[in-house]
Amino acid sequence: MNCDELAALLPDLVDGALSEAVRAEAEAALPRCPQCQQELEIARQVHALLFQLQTEHASLHIPAGFESRLLAKVRAQNSGKEFLDLSSKAFAEWLLEFIELVGGLLDPRVNGSLSPHSGTVS
Amino acid sequence: MVSLTDEELVKRCKAELPGDTRSYEILVQRYISRVYSVVYRVFGNKEEAEDITQEVFIKVYNGLKKFEQQASFSTWIYRIATNCALDSLDKMQRRPKIQIRLFNSKDQHETEQNDLDLHASMEAVPEEMVVRSELRECINNVLKKLDREQARLLLLRDFDDRSYEEIAKVLESGLSAVKMRIHRARLAFQRLFGQMCGSIHLSYSASTSGSSPKVKTKKE
């Protein structure tokens, strides 16, 4: 086994995923490839370090009722959006009515009493 | 309906949302444990894991209509989950430190407050828990500095113990390529860890049959 072949097996060596025969062959080739040997040691350390931190959570389950809480939150967000949409629509309608009303009040043809000249005309 | 594939459920969601959420709820049911698990292993506490898992599924809900299905749903959701987890690590540093309960191993009552995340085993003494929490913080700082794709691979393989085959499947990548990318990610992690935290020193306890190393860090 040459260095390139050995390098390709390093991830499986870290995880112990090789058959006994291949593992033995790879380990026998390690002393001939110092780069592979060094990388294997580093990768094993990192894997062990990160994995060790997780061993306390080996049988992790989602908390009771979490799925319902999550769906409730999604629904709340969804209905919040609808409410916002409705509010914006209602507000736009109200604004249009208000503009018409104000426009009507300022327009002398609609309400003659607001005209500065209304008294003189009559 | 539960037997439908992810792709069929996504199609239904596109047609049904927001009025009908039944297909979306099946996708939630199918993926909630997987998302929660990977997120929990970054933060190590229930509250953060719940918040971020919710954030992930809200993003999925909001993005489903635009999701083109060029990648599989599982690829997409793992990408969102790992991004949310890694983004939250950044935000956490800008927030005041979170106070998490620290349990005394003898009476298991809350005895004092610590400013780090501590959910250690019952057997661990408080000093060990502090070391463990510092280690977690250091590891998370390294994760933030790592290339995002490398961090994602380490989250899936070494944090969440997903097999190479499963990772290749969810990332829609070749198995050999995924193995080598994970290998390079571990080397990159070690370089950054060395710069930021010290060297990794593993000592094997005789009582643990050599398979479960005690991890210590040694500042250089």
Side-chain angles (χ1 to χ4, degrees):
Chain A
M1 186 180 288
N2 64 33
C3 262
D4 287 344
E5 288 165 336
L6 181 57
L9 294 178
L10 292 178
D12 284 327
L13 267 176
V14 172
D15 287 60
L18 294 173
S19 69
E20 189 55 38
V22 180
R23 188 185 63 79
E25 199 186 339
E27 284 185 352
L30 273 173
R32 296 193 297 274
C33 184
Q35 174 75 15
C36 289
Q37 204 162 19
Q38 193 191 3
E39 286 192 10
L40 177 64
E41 183 56 25
I42 291 171
R44 273 186 172 150
Q45 284 183 343
V46 170
H47 174 68
L49 172 76
L50 300 178
F51 199 70
Q52 169 74 11
L53 203 66
Q54 309 307 331
T55 51
E56 65 197 80
H57 315 303
S59 54
L60 186 64
H61 297 292
I62 60 167
F66 177 47
E67 190 178 324
S68 316
R69 286 198 294 283
L70 188 149
L71 289 172
K73 189 156 182 176
V74 172
R75 282 191 208 105
Q77 185 227 224
N78 190 26
S79 60
K81 269 189 179 169
E82 280 171 2
F83 178 71
L84 193 71
D85 288 347
L86 284 175
S87 313
S88 324
K89 207 172 156 190
F91 178 72
E93 281 169 7
W94 176 85
L95 194 66
L96 275 175
E97 278 178 24
F98 180 76
I99 290 169
E100 272 178 27
L101 181 71
V102 171
L105 288 173
L106 295 176
D107 188 345
R109 288 167 298 182
V110 177
N111 189 342
S113 64
L114 286 176
S115 165
H117 308 293
S118 57
T120 55
V121 169
S122 61
Chain B
M1 192 140 124
V2 179
S3 61
L4 291 175
T5 65
D6 289 353
E7 283 62 38
E8 286 164 334
L9 286 168
V10 168
K11 269 186 203 160
R12 287 186 177 218
C13 283
K14 282 172 179 283
E16 293 167 357
L17 290 177
D20 182 350
T21 56
R22 277 176 298 178
S23 302
Y24 170 78
E25 285 172 24
I26 295 171
L27 286 172
V28 171
Q29 228 172 50
R30 208 169 272 183
Y31 282 92
I32 190 170
S33 296
R34 286 181 256 186
V35 170
Y36 181 83
S37 168
V38 73
V39 171
Y40 187 96
R41 288 170 201 284
V42 176
F43 297 96
N45 80 75
K46 226 166 64 171
E47 293 77 12
E48 288 286 344
E50 279 204 20
D51 284 353
I52 294 161
T53 304
Q54 280 180 345
E55 190 186 327
V56 170
F57 282 100
I58 287 172
K59 281 193 175 174
V60 166
Y61 181 94
N62 291 336
L64 265 170
K65 289 259 181 193
K66 288 182 197 156
F67 175 51
E68 302 281 358
Q69 301 210 66
Q70 282 161 343
S72 72
F73 180 77
S74 65
T75 304
W76 185 55
I77 195 168
Y78 268 113
R79 190 163 287 274
I80 295 175
T82 47
N83 279 344
C84 282
L86 293 166
D87 289 345
S88 296
L89 283 180
D90 283 336
K91 286 180 209 155
M92 277 182 88
Q93 205 172 36
R94 291 194 287 271
R95 284 198 321 232
K97 284 192 172 178
I98 299 162
Q99 295 219 317
I100 305 288
R101 292 180 297 279
L102 173 65
F103 291 95
N104 180 294
S105 60
K106 286 179 188 159
D107 56 18
Q108 295 170 33
H109 291 306
E110 192 177 334
T111 54
E112 59 179 295
Q113 293 282 318
N114 190 282
D115 63 355
L116 291 160
D117 166 29
L118 298 168
H119 275 248
S121 62
M122 301 259 190
E123 292 77 25
V125 297
E127 297 79 42
E128 282 176 358
M129 290 195 279
V130 171
V131 169
R132 186 178 282 264
S133 71
E134 285 175 353
L135 184 61
R136 182 184 287 281
E137 187 172 292
C138 204
I139 287 170
N140 285 351
N141 284 335
V142 175
L143 276 185
K144 283 191 281 186
K145 287 267 181 192
L146 264 186
D147 169 87
R148 180 58 65 104
E149 282 307 310
Q150 290 187 326
R152 195 191 313 284
L153 287 163
L154 290 182
L155 285 189
L156 294 175
R157 177 67 202 100
D158 288 338
F159 281 67
D160 205 27
D161 200 26
R162 301 279 154 195
S163 69
Y164 291 131
E165 287 77 8
E166 194 180 351
I167 297 169
K169 199 176 158 199
V170 299
L171 298 182
E172 294 175 330
S173 193
L175 183 58
S176 313
V178 159
K179 285 181 183 177
M180 287 323 291
R181 280 161 58 201
I182 290 172
H183 183 67
R184 283 195 287 274
R186 285 172 176 156
L187 301 183
F189 180 95
Q190 188 266 351
R191 273 194 300 277
L192 279 173
F193 192 91
Q195 289 164 17
M196 297 167 70
C197 313
S199 64
I200 303 170
H201 174 71
L202 302 176
S203 62
Y204 289 83
S205 156
S207 63
T208 55
S209 69
S211 59
S212 173
K214 295 270 180 200
V215 180
K216 289 178 183 170
T217 56
K218 190 172 63 182
K219 269 282 178 195
E220 284 175 329

